[in-house]
Amino acid sequence: MQKDVLISSILHNEVKPLKKSDLVGDALSYMDKNAISSVVITDENNAPIGIFTERDALKIVSNAIDCDTQLLEVMTKNVFCIDVDTYIHDAYVLMEQYEYRHLVVVNDKNEYMGVVTEGDFLRYMGFEDVADAKLVKDNMNKSILTVMPETSLIEVAKLMTQKKCDYAVVMSDTKPQSVIHERDITKFLSKRTEIDEASIEDVDQHHMYVIKKDASLKEASDMMQQHGVHQLIVVDTADVLVGLISRHDLLKAVHRSYFDYLYKTIEAKAQREKELIRHKEELERLANYDQLTKLPNRLFFQTYLKKSVARTIRNKQKVAVILFGLDRFKDINDSYGHSIGDEVLNIIKQRFLKRAREGDFLARLGGDEFGLILENINSIDDVSNILKEMLSAISATAELSNGVELHIEASAGVTLAPKDSMDVGELLQYADSALNDAKKSHKGYFSYYANEMTQKAQEKVAFENALRNSIKNGELELYYQPQVYIKTGKIISAEALIRWNHPTNGLVNPTVFIPISEESGIINAIGEWVIHEACRQGKIWEDAGYNLTIAVNVSANQLKYQNIPKIVQEAIYESGYSANKLEIELTESALMQREESVVEMLHLLRAKEIRLAIDDFGTGYSSLSYLKRFPIDILKIDKSFIDELPYNKDDAAITVAVIEMSKALGYQVLAEGVENEEQLAFLKEKGCTMYQGYIKSKPLPAKEFEALIRACLG
Ligand code: C2E
Ligand code: CA
Ligand code: CA
C-alpha cells in the first residue's frame, strides 16, 4: 500500500452540488439517477453549506415530510469539510472518529471539490495488508435489525434511524428472506408521493447474498464486489443467521490491520534485541573460566563472592575483596606484542598462587585485572600483610621467552565485607575505586576503600549544596535548540535545554545534574524555574514578533511530585506568554509510570491550550497501544533511531512506521538528533514534519539563538 497519498487522488467530483432552493424530490431523483448516497448543497460562492444524505431521506419518510420541501429546511447544516491536501489515512481516521459516512472535500478557498465515501477508501486501501486469516465472524455485526414483510415503510425508516442501521433484514418466519437498504427507501420515495400506506412489500427488495461465518474478509469483499452489494448475510454451518457484514466493517478491519502492521514492525525490533541480549548472556554463562590463564573469570568471581559473603557473615568473620591491576601493562603489550603480554599474565598468576593460602580465591577479571577473595580475616593487619607479600613477589624481575628481563608492578584496591557493604556489585565498585586511588597516589602499593567513600560522600554533599544555591546565584541558564519545519526549512520552535554555569567546574550538562537534582528533590525548584524562565523569554520573543513555540522538558519525577498544571498556569499568567506557544515534553516512560493521573493532568494542560510532546519516542515500546489515550500534539522520535539512517534497515522501518502512525493519528512528528544531509533527505522523503539537530544548530544561549533566527529571516 502506498502510504502518503493525498485525498485528492480518490476524490469524486463528477456529481455537481445542489442549491439550497432545490427541492427534496429533486435531490432524491438526482441521487437515484447517479447512484450516489449524498448530495452537497453549496452557496453562490460554491462553498458547502449543507449535505443531504440517504439518512436524511429516511428521516423524511419517518417524519412524513413533503417532497416539495426545499433542501434548506432538511439538509444537515454544519458540513464537516476537509482540505484537499489531507493524507488519505488522516482523512480516514477523522471519518472513523466522527462516524461519518462521507467527507466533503474543499480547497484552500473553501470551494467544493467533491465527496469521498467509505467505498472510495476501501477501493484505495485494498486488501494487500489484510492477512487471509482475518475472518468474517470476527468482524461482523451480530446485532441485526430484522423486520417482517408487512411492516410499514414509515416504521422501518424509524427503526433504521433509531438504530443507526442503513439496512434491515426482512424475515419470513424465522428465515431471512431479503434485505432492504436506506437507498431502496430513498428510491421508492423519489418515485411516489404517497407512502403512508406503503409497506416493505411495495419496495423493490434485494436478493440476499449469504456468506459463511468462517469465510475470509477477502472472500466477503470479492462477493460484495461481484454482486454490487454493500452487505452480506452471515450464516453458521447449519445455515442459521448469525450476523451481517457490511462494507463499513471491511474498511475498519483493513485500517486496523494497517495499524497492526506498524505495531508489529516496532515490536519485532524490541523482540530481536531481547533475544540478542539473552544469547549473549548464555554465551557468557557457558564459560566460567578465562581461556588464557585458566583461572575463574569475572562471572565466576561474582558468584563466588556472593557465597563467600554469606558464609563469612554466618561465621561472624570478615571477607576482603581485592582487585589488582598491572601498571604499564598496555606498554608491555604495545612494545613486545600480545603473546609476551599473555606470558606476563601467566607469570603473575603463578606468583599469586604461590603466595595464596588454602581457600583464597583468585580470578582473572579481564585485561590486566585480577581479583582475590580472602575469607576468614581476623584483622585488617592480616590483609595488609598478605598484600605486601604478594605485591613484592609480583614485582620481582621476570625473564621472558624472548630473552627480555621485565620488571612488573601491580597496585591493589581493597574493600571489606560486611564493613563497607554486603552487596557484590557495591563491593566490586568500591574495590575498583580503591584501586584507582592506589594507581593515582601510591603505585605499586594498595589502598583501602574507606577513605575514598567519605571523600565521595563529601563531594556529593558539596555538589548538591552548590546545585541548591544555583538558582539563587543565577547560575542556571536555558539554551535553545531550533526545531525546523522540514517542508519550508523554517525555524518554527525551540527546545529549551537547561545548563548550569558552575562557579568552579564551568558549564555542567543536564545529564549530569538533573539525575542528582532528582535524587535530592532539588528538581522541583529547578523545574519551576525552567518553566518560568522559558515563558519569560518566550514573551520577549513574542513581543519582538518572532512566531515561536517553546518546548520545555518535564521529568518523570516532576510529574510525581509537582503540580505541573498549576506551575504552568502561574508562569503563563506572570509572563503574559501565549499558552498555545508553550509545549511540554514528557518521555514515554514518564507517561507510563502513572498512567491514570497523567491522562487527567494532560487533559488539564490541554484545556489550557498547552501543547504536549512525547520525548525520546520509541525507547519505551510498551506504550504504543496506549498512545491514543493521551491528548498529544507531537511525537519526537528518539535520536537512537535517527543516528544510522538511512542505512540501518530496522531503524528506517521504525522511523517510517512512527511517521505513518503519527500522520494517521493526526500528530506532528519530529526527528531528534539529525546531524547530516542523508538523514534529513530520508526524513523529508518519508514525510516527517520537523527535525532538530546539530545539522541546523547546537543548543544556543538566548542571545545567540535570537541572532540565528534573525539571520534566517533576513
Ligand atoms: P533531551 O530532551 O532528549 O534533549 C535532547 C538532547 O540531545 C540535548 O542534550 C541536545 O543538546 C542533544 N542534541 C540535540 N541535537 C543533537 C545532535 O544532532 N547530535 C547530538 N549528539 N546531540 C544532540 P542536552 O542539552 O545535554 O540535554 C540532555 C537531557 O537532559 C535532555 O534530553 C533532557 O532529558 C534533560 N534536560 C535538559 N534540560 C532539561 C530541563 O530543563 N528539565 C528537565 N527535567 N530535563 C532536562
Ligand atoms: Ca526533550
Ligand atoms: Ca529527546
Side-chain angles (χ1 to χ4, degrees):
M1 192 197 311
Q2 263 184 294
K3 310 286 186 201
D4 40 12
V5 177
L6 299 181
I7 199 80
S8 48
S9 63
I10 61 165
L11 192 62
H12 278 297
N13 52 8
E14 58 279 2
V15 181
K16 298 287 161 264
L18 297 180
K19 297 288 163 223
K20 63 183 178 194
S21 52
D22 288 331
L23 305 181
V24 167
D26 301 337
L28 291 173
S29 49
Y30 190 59
M31 282 156 72
D32 182 34
K33 200 172 88 215
N34 290 295
I36 49 172
S37 51
S38 64
V39 278
V40 174
I41 295 98
T42 55
D43 65 10
E44 54 284 358
N45 299 320
N46 200 24
I49 51 167
I51 188 163
F52 182 76
T53 65
E54 282 174 343
R55 190 156 285 172
D56 297 317
L58 277 187
K59 276 188 219 142
I60 292 191
V61 177
S62 47
N63 298 335
I65 294 174
D66 201 330
C67 278
D68 289 337
T69 315
Q70 287 197 344
L71 283 176
L72 176 66
E73 289 173 40
V74 290
M75 69 188 188
T76 304
K77 283 167 191 143
N78 301 330
V79 205
F80 180 79
C81 299
I82 61 161
D83 227 50
V84 70
D85 51 53
T86 309
Y87 289 114
I88 289 187
H89 273 285
D90 295 6
Y92 179 74
V93 170
L94 281 173
M95 193 168 83
E96 259 268 296
Q97 249 168 24
Y98 295 111
E99 293 183 12
Y100 294 136
R101 305 295 186 75
H102 333 74
L103 288 173
V104 177
V105 182
V106 293
N107 64 13
D108 55 355
K109 295 192 203 92
N110 197 33
E111 289 164 343
Y112 172 78
M113 299 294 287
V115 172
V116 185
T117 66
E118 286 193 328
D120 301 327
F121 279 109
L122 190 61
R123 264 189 296 282
Y124 161 73
M125 292 193 201
F127 276 82
E128 288 163 47
D129 290 343
V130 181
D132 273 344
K134 286 218 167 183
L135 300 182
V136 165
K137 65 176 173 204
D138 301 320
N139 293 278
M140 68 186 185
N141 190 345
K142 290 188 192 133
S143 59
I144 315 160
L145 174 60
T146 53
V147 293
M148 300 314 274
E150 59 277 8
T151 316
S152 82
L153 210 51
I154 295 187
E155 186 60 26
V156 178
K158 270 188 188 150
L159 282 172
M160 282 183 170
T161 315
Q162 250 171 37
K163 303 226 155 118
K164 287 196 169 180
C165 281
D166 46 12
Y167 62 86
V169 176
V170 185
M171 304 293 279
S172 151
D173 293 331
T174 55
K175 294 228 161 212
Q177 158 197 311
S178 60
V179 183
I180 170 166
H181 299 166
E182 268 178 359
R183 182 166 296 183
D184 304 325
I185 300 179
T186 327
K187 208 162 163 181
F188 181 80
L189 193 59
S190 72
K191 304 224 167 87
R192 263 152 276 213
T193 41
E194 283 302 315
I195 57 159
D196 291 3
E197 305 289 302
S199 76
I200 295 177
E201 282 161 327
D202 301 319
V203 178
D204 290 339
Q205 289 169 27
H206 288 271
H207 177 65
M208 230 176 36
Y209 293 91
V210 178
I211 193 159
K212 296 273 189 218
K213 73 184 177 37
D214 291 312
S216 74
L217 289 188
K218 174 88 172 70
E219 287 170 89
S221 167
D222 290 346
M223 197 181 222
M224 284 186 203
Q225 225 154 34
Q226 188 191 338
H227 301 295
V229 294
H230 287 185
Q231 53 268 106
L232 302 170
I233 299 277
V234 185
V235 295
D236 65 10
T237 41
D239 284 334
V240 174
L241 172 70
V242 289
L244 195 131
I245 185 145
S246 70
R247 198 171 66 175
H248 181 73
D249 302 323
L250 291 184
L251 189 54
K252 252 168 110 162
V254 169
H255 195 253
R256 207 181 313 126
S257 73
Y258 169 67
F259 272 90
D260 290 347
Y261 154 79
L262 294 182
Y263 291 144
K264 268 194 217 120
T265 317
I266 294 185
E267 269 157 18
K269 170 155 179 173
Q271 197 52 41
R272 271 204 299 285
E273 277 179 359
K274 256 193 229 142
E275 263 162 32
L276 220 71
I277 292 170
R278 217 186 42 225
H279 193 65
K280 242 168 85 184
E281 281 173 357
E282 244 156 48
L283 276 180
E284 275 169 18
R285 232 173 276 132
L286 276 177
N288 258 321
Y289 287 90
D290 167 45
Q291 298 297 314
L292 174 69
T293 59
K294 307 286 182 278
L295 284 173
N297 63 11
R298 180 179 287 271
L299 208 75
F300 196 177
F301 185 76
Q302 285 170 341
T303 338
Y304 190 88
L305 180 56
K306 200 165 171 187
K307 289 189 193 132
S308 234
V309 172
R311 221 174 6 244
T312 34
I313 288 172
R314 255 200 323 273
N315 303 342
K316 300 207 166 52
Q317 293 271 350
K318 297 188 189 69
V319 188
V321 184
I322 304 154
L323 294 191
F324 294 91
L326 302 189
D327 298 325
R328 299 181 18 258
F329 182 68
K330 192 173 170 301
D331 294 345
I332 299 175
N333 258 336
D334 288 350
S335 27
Y336 302 108
H338 283 273
S339 61
I340 293 297
D342 291 352
E343 204 180 324
V344 168
L345 290 173
N346 274 314
I347 292 173
I348 301 285
K349 165 194 149 185
Q350 296 302 341
R351 291 180 176 176
F352 267 133
L353 291 181
K354 226 168 169 178
R355 305 289 140 177
R357 311 164 307 167
E358 209 176 303
D360 294 348
F361 185 88
L362 181 71
R364 177 172 175 232
L365 304 185
D368 63 348
E369 204 172 67
F370 290 85
L372 181 66
I373 299 171
L374 305 178
E375 284 183 36
N376 299 324
I377 304 288
N378 293 318
S379 74
I380 288 202
D381 290 344
D382 286 358
V383 181
S384 300
N385 290 335
I386 295 170
L387 276 177
K388 276 179 210 159
E389 214 177 290
M390 278 192 168
L391 289 171
S392 80
I394 286 169
S395 65
T397 309
E399 201 169 314
L400 299 172
S401 57
N402 63 353
V404 173
E405 283 194 353
L406 212 58
H407 176 73
I408 312 163
E409 213 175 38
S411 306
V414 192
T415 184
L416 297 168
K419 178 171 148 287
D420 297 334
S421 169
M422 276 152 52
D423 175 85
V424 170
E426 272 179 12
L427 286 168
L428 285 176
Q429 197 187 326
Y430 296 162
D432 195 45
S433 65
L435 172 60
N436 282 333
D437 179 68
K439 280 182 173 169
K440 248 191 287 167
S441 36
H442 18 262
K443 249 197 175 109
Y445 208 59
F446 57 89
S447 286
Y448 280 97
Y449 171 64
N451 296 334
E452 179 83 3
M453 188 172 74
T454 36
Q455 194 192 335
K456 276 252 170 67
Q458 276 166 3
E459 276 171 15
K460 194 170 164 212
V461 171
F463 193 83
E464 278 182 14
N465 269 335
L467 190 56
R468 223 177 280 281
N469 292 327
S470 62
I471 301 182
K472 175 170 97 235
N473 295 347
E475 292 161 3
L476 294 184
E477 184 178 359
L478 287 186
Y479 276 39
Y480 297 87
Q481 186 176 35
Q483 299 181 328
V484 182
Y485 193 67
I486 295 185
K487 263 194 201 151
T488 58
K490 288 212 176 85
I491 298 175
I492 55 167
S493 45
E495 176 173 4
L497 293 156
I498 194 167
R499 298 290 181 267
W500 177 18
N501 297 300
H502 188 279
T504 49
N505 300 5
L507 204 63
V508 188
N509 256 27
T511 40
V512 177
F513 71 85
I514 291 283
I516 296 176
S517 75
E518 286 183 334
E519 257 171 49
S520 51
I522 311 172
I523 186 67
N524 288 343
I526 294 181
E528 205 168 327
W529 178 86
V530 168
I531 294 174
H532 277 264
E533 174 60 16
C535 289
R536 189 192 66 80
Q537 183 62 62
K539 171 69 175 164
I540 294 176
W541 284 333
E542 193 172 31
D543 288 346
Y546 304 126
N547 188 11
L548 280 176
T549 299
I550 296 187
V552 296
N553 291 282
V554 170
S555 72
N557 253 302
Q558 287 175 261
L559 281 193
K560 220 185 276 175
Y561 298 117
Q562 287 187 295
N563 185 344
I564 300 291
K566 182 158 168 275
I567 296 174
V568 164
Q569 169 92 19
E570 284 166 2
I572 292 287
Y573 180 77
E574 260 175 39
S575 62
Y577 187 47
S578 302
N580 61 6
K581 287 268 147 60
L582 181 67
E583 188 169 285
I584 300 288
E585 290 193 3
L586 296 166
T587 61
E588 259 182 292
S589 39
L591 292 183
M592 301 316 300
Q593 258 177 31
R594 309 164 31 104
E595 223 181 286
E596 284 317 316
S597 58
V598 167
V599 171
E600 200 178 299
M601 188 206 75
L602 293 188
H603 280 103
L604 269 176
L605 287 170
R606 163 51 61 85
K608 300 187 201 303
E609 291 190 74
I610 306 294
R611 290 169 54 86
L612 298 165
I614 299 200
D615 203 357
D616 304 344
F617 185 74
T619 54
Y621 300 103
S622 54
S623 68
L624 273 169
S625 40
Y626 293 98
L627 260 191
K628 282 198 227 157
R629 311 182 47 205
F630 302 110
I632 297 158
D633 297 284
I634 179 163
L635 288 187
K636 301 185 69 179
I637 309 179
D638 190 64
K639 179 173 176 304
S640 59
F641 296 102
I642 307 298
D643 281 342
E644 292 171 33
L645 289 184
Y647 305 107
N648 183 318
K649 286 217 167 61
D650 279 342
D651 292 347
I654 288 174
T655 303
V656 170
V658 174
I659 294 173
E660 282 307 318
M661 185 179 58
S662 309
K663 276 190 205 162
L665 294 174
Y667 308 148
Q668 289 183 302
V669 55
L670 179 146
E672 290 194 288
V674 177
E675 296 184 346
N676 61 53
E677 291 293 347
E678 278 171 315
Q679 294 168 328
L680 186 54
F682 179 86
L683 293 163
K684 189 169 190 170
E685 189 205 317
K686 300 302 175 196
C688 181
T689 335
M690 295 191 261
Y691 77 90
Q692 136 183 25
Y694 290 176
I695 187 176
K696 183 70 182 176
S697 165
K698 291 198 172 183
L700 301 171
K703 284 250 145 33
E704 288 172 40
F705 179 80
E706 198 177 322
L708 176 73
I709 317 183
R710 244 186 277 116
C712 288
L713 286 178

